[in-house]
Amino acid sequence: MQSQLRKDLLDAFTNAGEAYLSGQRIAELIGCSRTAVWKHIEELRKEGFELEAVRRKGYRIVRTPEKITADELRLGLKTNFIGKNVHYEESVESTQKIAHRLAYDNAPEGTVIIAEEQVSGRGRMDRKWHSPKYTGVWMSIILRPNIPLPKAPQLTLLAAVAIVQAIEDLTDLLPEIKWPNDILIRGKKVTGILTELEAEADRINSVIIGIGINVNPTIEDFPSELQEIATSLFVEKGEKVSRSDLIKRIFMNLEKLYLLYLEEGFLPIKLLWEGYAISIGRKITARTLSNSITGTAQGITDDGVLIMVDDHGKTHHVYSADIEL
Ligand code: BTX
């Protein structure tokens, strides 16, 4: 929606207060056709506004979208560095892109970029990540661990544990992890994690952890191709979940696990991760860009690499793949 038209539409509702505005009246006020008004109203609904429509009276806004504010994020956040420096954006291409730039410009460890919407949110291997306005958590976190390059994927597993724990802390849901980066509820994807690196030779400058969580959309809010495979906390729980509370929980859990990791290594994280993993012990197919292996997932190595034994008894180490259960 053009921003001036949107501003005029919201002004019209603001001025009307509790009163209903008919389609005709809105059309006059903002200077467009009634069909266009209807389209704009639908657009607002998609953005999380709740509108009541009453025959012969018109529309009124009964609830505005829950926006994430810096104040809300600050309130009650007990961390030393993660989330202390937050860049909040209304709409971006991808929070990963901004995080790379900030990391390059020496942003301190724990800097977070949060957006209400991503128009080019991305997954692994250039896939798209659907990130509509006001309904999800779309954020990138900059870490600067002093670890060798090959160990960086461990941070994806660490982040997955922090997120699962945060969901458990705030809901009675039981999320599970599908190696390496999917968090599922009842077999459907609720969260994706994308870990990217800035490195020189074998030295890590920064690790950028991109986290996408479907918090409050309904199933109809997903595009049709995702409706069978995706879910949200709202769909599973039947109640809205505060995005700010979820973000704060993730910051706290992540900082705790990350400090444990820097002190004691990957083992304690691995044990926690295994407690949530669904692929282990099951027959799976791992698809990489060049081939696919079917076999039983045995577990992960101390580095976080997936170990599979195929039907001929041969052991494979899988560094990166899509897993089908
Ligand atoms: P992935 O490659 O494992 O998953 C991408 C696939 O997941 C898509 O091809 C599609 O099938 C499906 N998908 C797309 N959007 C959604 C969604 N909202 N819910 C469930 N399934 C979906 C996963 O990659 C990594 C995603 C990271 C997203 C974060 S958001 C903040 C940061 N910025 C950014 O651009 N990406 C990360």
Side-chain angles (χ1 to χ4, degrees):
M1 189 188 292
Q2 295 147 8
S3 59
Q4 188 55 46
L5 218 50
R6 145 86 94 79
K7 200 173 153 287
D8 291 347
L9 180 60
L10 290 174
D11 283 350
F13 278 118
T14 308
N15 296 337
E18 292 286 289
Y20 291 87
L21 278 180
S22 70
Q24 182 61 41
R25 182 79 188 115
I26 299 172
E28 283 162 20
L29 286 170
I30 69 174
C32 65
S33 70
R34 288 190 59 174
T35 320
V37 168
W38 183 81
K39 273 197 197 139
H40 291 313
I41 298 270
E42 284 311 299
E43 199 88 23
L44 281 181
R45 286 206 167 107
K46 277 199 203 123
E47 290 184 4
F49 284 84
E50 243 177 73
L51 284 118
E52 189 185 13
V54 176
R55 264 189 81 206
R56 276 199 259 275
K57 282 186 170 172
Y59 303 95
R60 83 184 169 156
I61 293 178
V62 286
R63 193 146 39 146
T64 51
E66 178 225 12
K67 275 208 186 191
I68 299 168
T69 65
D71 287 341
E72 245 184 315
L73 286 182
R74 229 168 277 133
L75 193 70
L77 178 66
K78 297 188 200 94
T79 57
N80 286 320
F81 57 100
I82 295 186
K84 285 290 171 190
N85 181 19
V86 174
H87 292 247
Y88 171 86
E89 305 284 343
E90 183 76 10
S91 179
V92 298
E93 279 180 29
S94 157
T95 55
Q96 290 294 97
K97 215 170 148 180
I98 299 175
H100 277 284
R101 203 186 61 226
L102 289 171
Y104 183 79
D105 289 343
N106 294 322
E109 177 164 56
T111 296
V112 183
I113 300 87
I114 299 177
E116 290 288 5
E117 167 189 58
Q118 297 185 114
V119 291
S120 311
R122 54 181 203 239
R124 293 177 302 153
M125 294 176 268
D126 268 344
R127 288 186 287 225
K128 289 196 167 63
W129 186 258
H130 175 66
S131 326
K133 233 177 196 177
Y134 303 132
T135 59
V137 168
W138 326 124
M139 66 179 176
S140 300
I141 303 174
I142 300 173
L143 296 178
R144 299 187 182 280
N146 187 7
I147 54 170
L149 211 52
K151 291 198 185 294
Q154 294 174 342
L155 293 169
T156 302
L157 308 187
L158 187 150
V161 174
I163 297 164
V164 167
Q165 287 180 339
I167 295 174
E168 283 185 343
D169 289 343
L170 296 181
T171 69
D172 52 4
L173 299 171
L174 297 171
E176 297 174 305
I177 306 173
K178 192 173 90 169
W179 184 90
N181 70 331
D182 284 351
I183 297 178
L184 310 180
I185 300 180
R186 293 191 306 125
K188 290 179 158 195
K189 191 150 152 177
V190 72
T191 294
I193 305 167
L194 174 68
T195 306
E196 295 177 318
L197 291 179
E198 293 274 347
E200 274 164 45
D202 58 354
R203 206 181 70 87
I204 293 179
N205 282 337
S206 57
V207 176
I208 294 166
I209 303 180
I211 298 173
I213 309 175
N214 305 318
V215 184
N216 289 325
T218 63
I219 276 297
E220 293 75 34
D221 291 335
F222 288 102
S224 54
E225 71 274 16
L226 293 181
Q227 290 186 359
E228 293 288 311
I229 57 167
T231 192
S232 73
L233 298 181
F234 172 69
V235 168
E236 299 301 324
K237 184 175 149 72
E239 273 170 45
K240 294 217 166 159
V241 173
S242 154
R243 290 180 300 151
S244 309
D245 287 350
L246 183 62
I247 292 169
K248 281 187 275 192
R249 276 283 161 188
I250 294 172
F251 289 170
M252 291 192 264
N253 295 348
L254 190 66
E255 184 169 298
K256 207 162 88 196
L257 292 173
Y258 180 60
L259 291 174
L260 178 70
Y261 170 77
L262 293 180
E263 197 146 302
E264 295 184 21
F266 185 58
L267 188 62
I269 311 300
K270 178 177 181 250
L271 296 177
L272 288 169
W273 185 90
E274 282 169 342
Y276 295 114
I278 37 171
S279 357
I280 308 307
R282 284 174 69 172
K283 184 105 179 198
I284 60 169
T285 299
R287 284 188 207 290
T288 64
L289 283 178
S290 52
N291 69 348
S292 86
I293 309 161
T294 298
T296 307
Q298 300 286 313
I300 52 172
T301 65
D302 289 347
D303 281 342
V305 175
L306 181 68
I307 309 164
M308 280 179 72
V309 175
D310 70 18
D311 296 344
H312 309 289
K314 190 171 170 222
T315 301
H316 300 260
H317 281 181
V318 183
Y319 291 84
S320 166
D322 280 317
I323 302 297
E324 282 166 28
L325 298 171

